[in-house]
Structure formats: structure tokens, C-alpha cells
Amino acid sequence: MGVPKRLTEMQQRFAEPVVFGGPDGPVTQTEAAKLAGYSEKRCRVEGSELLNPKLSPLVVQYVAKLKEERMKKYEVNYESHITELARIKEEALKKKSFSAAVNAETNRGKAAGLYIDRKIIKTGKLEEMSVEELEAKMKKILDDYSQIIDVTPEVKEIKES
């Protein structure tokens, strides 16, 4: 029989909801086949066959092309991201929604690298450390983080039993 040279209108109507969803959101291939006008009895089989590259290569190519177009349309890059956050902030300020404006500006700062989220995961148990190890650990923490904590340690003599 051979591969057809072009897509039919029904195949195009099938591919679009597969990529973009239906009126109520995402759809399955069976639902997409129903929306395209395929038989209620065969829509499950038709949906499967239409997304099989061996049986329907043109439909699969069209679906891939639509997905690529969608990705380009909603592509996120640094410039568009920062611009969109600025637009959201300005709209929030116009509506006097200061919390939303602050969030948008904070997210712009994070995207620009102005904020650094630092997480420290420590392992081991304090109970298993000797007094000397604990004191050394506390001194190291104070030395490492002196710029962000303002604490003068009070050292007391601890007698070991």
C-alpha cells in the first residue's frame, strides 16, 4: 500500500489535541481520536496506530513538529525570563500587590545570580564526638561563618567523668 504523501485533515485534527490538549486540558490518544472524528468503536486503536511511526510516519512527524513549535513559543531564556518577571512586578505594583511585586523582584534577583541558596548537610552524631572534637568543630563553624553570624563563644571548662 505504501506511505501516503500528505496528512489528511482528520490526522491533523488528531495531532493538534495530542500536543495542545482539548477544551478541558490534556487528552489521551483515544480522546484525541474521538475529537478528530474517528469512530467511537475504533478510536482507541486509531489513536495507537496514528502515533506509531511505522504505521503513520507523517502523523508522528507532524506531532513532533507541533511539539517543537510549542517549545519554541514557550522557550525560557535569561533575557525573556528577566523581562517577564519585570513585567509581572510592574503589573503587581500597579495593582498595589506588593507581595507579588517583591516575589517577582526576588525571583529576578535569583535568576541573575544575586542570591545564593546555601544548604549544609552535616553527617555524624554529636553524641559520638569527644569534647575536643566538639570544640574543634564549633571553632571551625565560627571561623567559616563569622561573616554571617555575630556570636562571641563562651567557653566553659567541661570536666570529663
Side-chain angles (χ1 to χ4, degrees):
M1 179 167 121
V3 178
K5 302 233 186 273
R6 63 181 188 84
L7 289 173
T8 66
E9 191 175 315
M10 280 181 78
Q11 289 171 328
Q12 289 177 350
R13 286 197 317 256
F14 166 79
E16 290 163 4
V18 165
V19 175
F20 302 112
D24 299 323
V27 297
T28 64
Q29 60 193 29
T30 302
E31 293 166 332
K34 281 182 194 175
L35 290 170
Y38 287 94
S39 158
E40 285 278 334
K41 292 180 182 178
R42 285 199 34 88
C43 62
R44 185 167 175 253
V45 173
E46 290 287 350
S48 178
E49 289 176 354
L50 288 167
L51 290 179
N52 183 332
K54 290 181 181 175
L55 300 175
S56 305
L58 293 178
V59 176
V60 173
Q61 288 173 358
Y62 185 60
V63 166
K65 179 181 158 223
L66 290 176
K67 284 181 179 180
E68 187 177 323
E69 287 175 7
R70 183 184 64 187
M71 290 300 290
K72 283 181 183 176
K73 179 179 178 183
Y74 296 109
E75 178 182 25
V76 175
N77 59 44
Y78 180 77
E79 290 81 19
S80 67
H81 180 66
I82 295 296
T83 303
E84 181 64 11
L85 285 171
R87 187 192 65 74
I88 291 168
K89 180 188 88 170
E90 293 304 319
E91 287 296 317
L93 287 173
K94 284 180 189 174
K95 294 179 181 179
K96 299 203 183 300
S97 179
F98 299 112
S99 177
V102 168
N103 284 336
E105 187 61 24
T106 301
N107 286 330
R108 283 180 66 214
K110 286 179 181 178
L114 299 176
Y115 298 95
I116 299 171
D117 287 333
R118 180 183 283 181
K119 294 180 183 177
I120 301 170
I121 300 172
K122 300 286 184 179
T123 58
K125 294 183 181 177
L126 295 176
E127 295 84 22
E128 295 173 357
M129 298 175 88
S130 71
V131 173
E132 291 81 20
E133 290 173 324
L134 283 171
E135 287 176 353
K137 190 70 145 176
M138 290 186 336
K139 181 175 179 352
K140 181 170 179 2
I141 290 170
L142 288 172
D143 290 343
D144 289 347
Y145 301 103
S146 62
Q147 70 274 11
I148 58 173
I149 56 175
D150 185 22
V151 176
T152 306
E154 184 180 316
V155 180
K156 293 182 179 180
E157 288 292 320
I158 301 174
K159 294 181 182 178
E160 289 189 52
S161 320

